[in-house]
Structures are given as C-alpha cells and as structure tokens.
Amino acid sequence: MWVTQLHFDVEPQDVLTSQSVRHFGFVYTRGSLTVPFSPGSMADVQPTPRLVLVFSGKRKSGKDHVTNLLHARLGAPLSSILRLSAPLKQHFAQDHSLDLDLLLGPGPYKERFRSEMIQWGEDQRRNDPGYFCRLATRGATEPVWIISDARRSTDLTWFRTQYPDKTRTIRVQCSDQIRTTRGWSFTEGVDDAESECGLDQVQDWDWIIKNEGDTEDLERQLRPVIDLALKQD
Ligand SMILES: Nc1ncnc2c1ncn2[C@@H]1O[C@H](COP(=O)(O)OP(=O)(O)O)[C@@H](O)[C@H]1O
Ligand SMILES: C[C@@](O)(CCOP(=O)(O)OP(=O)(O)O)CC(=O)O
C-alpha cells in the first residue's frame, strides 16, 4: 500500500476526534498525518464544493421542510443536505444512549433534550467554533451543499472563510402563529438563547424565504436559488 504524508494545520484534538480519521488507520505526529493512500482516504481532505447554500431560521420555521424541497428539486448527484446538528446529535445520542433517529426527526422527542444538547454543543464550540461545521461537511463530495441549520455567527463565518466565493446565505422565516401550529411553544433558555437568536441581527441574507405554508409560493421563492445551483453545474 502507498503511504503519503499530508500536512494539516490542525491541533491533535481536531484530528483525533474526527469521524473520518476513525475510519482509516493513520499515524499522527504533531502537524502531520500519515494516511494509507487509497481512494477512501481522500475523503479526509477538506472537499471543495461549487456552491454552499447556508440556511438558517428559528425552530419550526421550516428549515428541514424547505431544504428537503430544494434537495428534491436539485437531485442527489448534484446536491446533499448537510446538518450541523447531525454530528452533535450523533455524539449526544451515543453518550446518553438515546434514539438517534428520533433526535434527528421533527417530532417532540428532541425537544426533551434540546437544552442539554445546546449546552453540550456550546461546550465543544468554546474550544473550536468550527467543530460541527467541519464534521458535518467532511467527506461530502456533491457539488452543491445545502447546510440546513446555521445558528450562530461563527457558523456563517466558518463557511464564508472556507468558501468565500461560493457561500450564499438564506433565512427561513414564518410567523410565530404558524410555528405554533407546527408544535412550537416559547421555552425559556432556548428561544431567548444564542441557539435561536444568534443570527437575529443579520441583515445581509442573500435570500429571505417566507415559509408560511403555501407550496406554490415556496417553490416560486426557491426559484432563484435553484437557478443558481443549476447554472453552476
Ligand atoms: N410549508 C410547509 N407546509 C407544510 N408543512 C410544513 C411546511 N413547513 C414546515 N412544515 C412542517 O412543520 C414542521 C416543522 O418544520 P421543520 O422543517 O422541521 O422546521 P425546522 O427544521 O425549522 O425546525 C414539520 O412537521 C414540517 O413538515
Ligand atoms: C442542539 C441543537 O443542535 C439542536 C438542533 O436541532 P434541530 O436542528 O433539529 O432543530 P430545529 O430543526 O431548529 O427544530 C441546537 C444547537 O444550538 O446546536
């Protein structure tokens, strides 16, 4: 087997906790990583998408609904949905013996653990604000990335720093009344915390999508996003 030396500008903790590295044998010395050279191990190199669509919005605004619709319109070979909360939930489910599928779904199960997950995620981000961005995107090979759930300005900064010419930001909005019909109720410590309010002051969204329930209207609003994604292919 060939062996190649790659230099990474990372800390040991970063490498040792990454999912992809767990899948491949390696020898790590500070600042460099020796990886068995195989097509699989190339997934470890930070990939370069052609377009990064970063969505955000308050809970029950419909981020998953809107990004699922966009993904359906663009198709799987062109795009993939990447959730920043997925690696967070995966770690959290493992540590606390929880049902990962239910945590990932839209139902009430995840709400029972939301505060704790926020806390746990913030502890990880304190050392490394890009931790979940990097884990969520690692190994993604599709040209168009649909990031479904930015929540903090550090999330936007991470994508804009990594992919300055490729990142576009989209805010999903709807009234609190409609969010309530979707199961939302105000929870202290969640709806007034950074997880939900961290991007409230942002003004320079590339698009704002009003997701108030009308599918035709939603499709119309997504048109310029879809056109951009298709044009870049
Ligand atoms: N435009 C819509 N039409 C019908 N149902 C919707 C629409 N937007 C969201 N929903 C539903 O509302 C619930 C919350 O939406 P979701 O996409 O999970 O929100 P978020 O990811 O922002 O928390 C889900 O059950 C979803 O199917
Ligand atoms: C701990 C979280 O990652 C949980 C996010 O879960 P979801 O992304 O499922 O939430 P909504 O879709 O907005 O309802 C939040 C965070 O602050 O990181």
Side-chain angles (χ1 to χ4, degrees):
M1 190 190 309
W2 299 358
V3 170
T4 186
Q5 271 274 333
L6 302 177
H7 185 83
F8 287 85
D9 186 20
V10 289
E11 291 301 310
Q13 165 214 341
D14 174 52
V15 172
L16 292 169
T17 56
S18 80
Q19 251 181 332
S20 48
V21 163
R22 275 208 299 274
H23 294 157
F24 307 109
F26 68 97
V27 179
Y28 178 73
T29 49
R30 192 177 177 84
S32 72
L33 184 65
T34 303
V35 209
F37 187 82
S38 67
S41 65
M42 291 309 285
D44 205 45
V45 177
Q46 189 62 35
T48 51
R50 257 183 279 155
L51 180 64
V52 182
L53 300 168
V54 182
F55 284 78
S56 85
K58 292 181 182 283
R59 60 198 183 108
K60 307 294 179 199
S61 61
K63 298 180 295 297
D64 283 332
H65 183 85
V66 171
T67 51
N68 285 340
L69 180 62
L70 176 62
H71 183 51
R73 293 292 168 267
L74 297 181
L78 176 63
S79 67
S80 64
I81 299 180
L82 306 173
R83 299 185 205 291
L84 304 185
S85 59
L88 190 160
K89 288 176 180 177
Q90 197 181 1
H91 276 272
F92 192 85
Q94 240 164 31
D95 285 1
H96 296 81
S97 306
L98 300 179
D99 185 323
L100 179 59
D101 285 340
L102 285 177
L103 272 189
L104 290 168
Y109 182 81
K110 66 181 172 188
E111 304 304 337
R112 287 163 46 195
F113 308 101
R114 189 182 286 265
S115 290
E116 262 187 278
M117 287 196 291
I118 290 174
Q119 200 50 55
W120 186 86
E122 282 176 357
D123 290 345
Q124 309 304 310
R125 286 179 165 108
R126 227 181 309 283
N127 298 329
D128 178 0
Y131 183 71
F132 295 112
C133 297
R134 209 167 41 250
L135 279 185
T137 57
R138 190 153 291 184
T141 53
E142 293 81 1
V144 177
W145 292 357
I146 304 168
I147 312 298
S148 70
D149 56 347
R151 294 176 177 276
R152 296 164 173 83
S153 56
T154 49
D155 296 335
L156 298 188
T157 302
W158 192 85
F159 284 102
R160 285 176 169 149
T161 305
Q162 295 288 322
Y163 308 106
D165 305 327
K166 299 168 180 182
T167 299
R168 300 289 183 281
T169 58
I170 300 125
R171 183 70 163 176
V172 179
Q173 292 181 341
C174 77
S175 68
D176 284 355
Q177 201 183 351
I178 289 178
R179 291 170 71 207
T180 305
T181 66
R182 295 176 184 158
W184 174 74
S185 65
F186 184 89
T187 306
E188 228 176 88
V190 171
D191 293 295
D192 51 3
E194 191 190 11
S195 172
E196 289 295 308
C197 305
L199 299 175
D200 281 0
Q201 307 312 320
V202 175
Q203 304 267 333
D204 61 346
W205 301 108
D206 289 298
W207 291 282
I208 293 175
I209 304 266
K210 292 242 182 250
N211 177 36
E212 307 252 289
D214 179 334
T215 306
E216 240 175 69
D217 187 40
L218 186 54
E219 298 253 8
R220 185 188 55 72
Q221 295 178 72
L222 280 175
R223 199 66 252 168
V225 186
I226 294 170
D227 288 347
L228 178 68
L230 294 176
K231 197 170 86 186
Q232 301 224 351
D233 192 30

